[in-house]
Amino acid sequence: MSVVRFGSDSPWEAVVGYSRVVVHGDTAWVSGTTATVDGAVVHPGDAGAQTRQALALVGEALERAGFALADVVRTRLFVTDISRWEEVGRAHGEVFGDIRPATSMVQVAALIDPAMLVEVEADAVREVPA
């Protein structure tokens, strides 16, 4: 069984040397994803909107790799201001309220761009057809 890597148009993938999604068998790992569209951070100052955008990009990446948001078993939320946890948590709950993956939310000192407030990672396991 081989490893398959999927990229995106992130300006950092080539510089840092990573893939948006890595798939091995029925498992996928989505790299840290921010609210970056066409190389620019969107929704400056709005942690909830940035979370929604990052989660939408996670969903798109999973779909390209043959997975769905319903396959997500774990998420990690990195936030630059933990006092805004409710905004971030509410946005996460809008997407994962029924799916209920294991998750963590941790404050970090900074992300790669000062306008970024949230970064999301996700792990997914696809159900094997019987």
Side-chain angles (χ1 to χ4, degrees), residues 44 65 107:
Q107 180 171 306

Side-chain angles (χ1 to χ4, degrees), residues 31-47:
S31 292
T33 304
T34 61
T36 303
V37 177
D38 297 326
V41 178
V42 297
H43 310 295
D46 189 333

Side-chain angles (χ1 to χ4, degrees), residues 1 21-30 58 62-63 65-76 96 99-102 121-129:
M1 190 174 311
V21 183
V22 175
V23 176
H24 182 262
D26 292 310
T27 304
W29 297 269
V30 182
V58 165
L62 285 167
E63 189 174 301
F67 289 76
L69 285 170
D71 297 322
V72 171
V73 296
R74 179 163 179 76
T75 59
R76 290 168 203 83
F96 290 113
I99 299 166
R100 301 266 179 135
E121 292 180 351
D123 304 336
V125 179
R126 194 169 31 207
E127 186 174 328
V128 179

Side-chain angles (χ1 to χ4, degrees), residues 5-109:
R5 293 169 176 82
F6 295 85
S8 69
D9 294 327
S10 166
W12 299 286
E13 284 179 21
V15 173
V16 177
Y18 70 95
S19 298
R20 173 65 45 216
V21 183
V22 175
V23 176
H24 182 262
D26 292 310
T27 304
W29 297 269
V30 182
S31 292
T33 304
T34 61
T36 303
V37 177
D38 297 326
V41 178
V42 297
H43 310 295
D46 189 333
Q50 283 195 15
T51 304
R52 285 180 198 87
Q53 180 64 51
L55 289 170
L57 294 171
V58 165
E60 290 171 15
L62 285 167
E63 189 174 301
R64 274 195 316 271
F67 289 76
L69 285 170
D71 297 322
V72 171
V73 296
R74 179 163 179 76
T75 59
R76 290 168 203 83
L77 304 161
F78 303 96
V79 299
T80 57
D81 182 355
I82 200 70
S83 73
R84 300 180 74 179
W85 71 269
E86 282 189 81
E87 296 168 66
V88 175
R90 215 175 279 117
H92 184 272
E94 290 168 9
V95 174
F96 290 113
D98 291 333
I99 299 166
R100 301 266 179 135
T103 195
S104 9
M105 184 187 309
V106 296
Q107 180 171 306
V108 295

